[in-house]
Amino acid sequence: MLRRCINQNKRVCTLLSSSKRDQIHTGSCHPKSYQSGSDHSGSEQDGSEQGGSYKGGSDGSYRSRVRCLGGVTAAVVGLVAASSESTVEPPSPDQYDVMDHLYETGQLDELVTGLRYYAELETVELLWRRARAEWAWNKSIKFATGGYQARRLQECMDMIDKAMELDSSVSNVHLVKAILVKAQCQMAGSPGPQIAGMIEMKSSLEAALELDPDNGAAAQLLAMWHYEVAQIGWLQRRMFGFWGSVPEGSLQTALDLAWRAQEIRATVRNLLLLAKIYYELGDGVKAKRYVEMALEVPCSCQDDVEAVEEAAKLKKQLR
């Protein structure tokens, strides 16, 4: 079924000239409010996992060129190069923009289908995007067993390890590595692997920010790391101490990183994180201010919807 869909997309791309595709990819797709589509499109990505430092434009860019053409998704047509049946050409910069936008807005069905067309091209830019998208897509599958998710997570980890071997100087490779390590920590059944994963995750995020100081997603995820680790209580640390030394987290460092992420790219998830940090620091006034700001931001993906729901719950606690 997937092969037929991809072949159909390739034929459509071959038939359409560049100018014709530009006519097809019109109309804004940056919604003021998110409406989930298929079972996969509402992924359970962590807010900071929206990935990378994409700074797309508005009208005239690929951010505003996604719509459906009957049984063929125009977004997928935009991802697949207009090449011959026997040759797969690397994506263009515009096609990478499409991929990043589809990920940010939770349109994972289209993104995964398009990326799988390029499966034989093991380039760094494709590998980290595939690993990120495939894991987000698999997390959204309902009723998936733990064993299935573990196998798919390992497949994604293999992709990112391959990307790391090819070029470890790409910031988003380290970012996606951290995302997958966090997933491994959540699946781990004992404190030992969890502690090791926490340390590796922090190291990967610090490397991502060192390579690209403007990687807002890495800054946000590292802020969340410090926030969550700072919440580990004395008793839990003593219990975990049998398996290794638990790393230290700082609310002040979390606050600094959250502001850094917000300055790079303002998101509802950053605003919620700022509110949560201020709440833990005992500043209820600022916590309430940023909760209210988060509630006013339009949602563009399922992560935003979940962030707004969490912000509404926090607002009740601040009354």
Side-chain angles (χ1 to χ4, degrees), residues 167-290:
D167 189 354
S168 61
S169 67
V170 178
S171 176
N172 281 327
V173 172
H174 294 272
L175 169 63
V176 177
K177 177 78 170 182
I179 292 171
L180 298 177
V181 168
K182 182 177 183 179
Q184 287 182 330
C185 288
Q186 293 169 339
M187 289 186 180
S190 63
Q194 291 177 348
I195 293 173
M198 290 164 62
I199 295 171
E200 185 179 5
M201 181 182 174
K202 181 177 184 242
S203 176
S204 295
L205 291 170
E206 289 174 341
L209 281 173
E210 183 177 352
L211 290 165
D212 180 8
D214 291 330
N215 192 328
Q220 186 190 33
L221 195 55
L222 187 55
M224 181 63 74
W225 185 95
H226 277 278
Y227 170 80
E228 292 177 347
V229 173
Q231 306 305 306
I232 300 176
W234 175 83
L235 181 58
Q236 192 174 6
R237 285 182 177 275
R238 287 291 300 272
M239 295 174 61
F240 278 20
F242 290 103
W243 288 271
S245 178
V246 180
E248 296 289 336
S250 164
L251 286 175
Q252 185 57 53
T253 302
L255 182 62
D256 293 342
L257 286 164
W259 270 116
R260 178 175 173 180
Q262 182 69 3
E263 289 170 358
I264 294 170
R265 185 180 178 199
T267 68
V268 62
R269 296 172 296 282
N270 279 332
L271 291 170
L272 172 62
L273 179 56
L274 285 167
K276 291 164 69 174
I277 295 171
Y278 278 120
Y279 178 74
E280 292 298 331
L281 290 172
D283 194 335
V285 175
K286 287 185 178 178
K288 185 176 181 180
R289 179 193 308 166
Y290 291 108

Side-chain angles (χ1 to χ4, degrees), residues 57 61 105 120 129 203 222 310 316:
S61 71
T105 54
E120 66 185 68
R129 283 181 171 87
S203 176
L222 187 55
E310 187 176 352
K316 293 179 181 179

Side-chain angles (χ1 to χ4, degrees), residues 32 262 266-276 286-300 303-315:
K32 292 186 177 180
Q262 182 69 3
T267 68
V268 62
R269 296 172 296 282
N270 279 332
L271 291 170
L272 172 62
L273 179 56
L274 285 167
K276 291 164 69 174
K286 287 185 178 178
K288 185 176 181 180
R289 179 193 308 166
Y290 291 108
V291 159
E292 291 175 346
M293 289 174 65
L295 292 172
E296 294 175 358
V297 176
C299 297
S300 61
D303 281 339
D304 288 352
V305 173
E306 293 173 1
V308 168
E309 291 173 350
E310 187 176 352
K313 293 179 182 178
L314 180 58
K315 184 178 180 180

Side-chain angles (χ1 to χ4, degrees), residues 1-38:
M1 179 68 180
L2 178 61
R3 177 62 59 187
R4 289 198 302 271
C5 177
I6 292 175
N7 288 338
Q8 183 182 21
N9 290 330
K10 290 167 65 179
R11 287 194 296 272
V12 170
C13 279
T14 304
L15 290 172
L16 294 174
S17 65
S18 298
S19 60
K20 185 64 176 177
R21 287 200 302 275
D22 287 342
Q23 293 173 12
I24 291 172
H25 296 155
T26 57
S28 174
C29 68
H30 191 188
K32 292 186 177 180
S33 61
Y34 172 77
Q35 296 178 347
S36 68
S38 66

Side-chain angles (χ1 to χ4, degrees), residues 71-84:
V72 181
T73 304
V76 178
V77 173
L79 292 181
V80 178
S83 59
S84 67

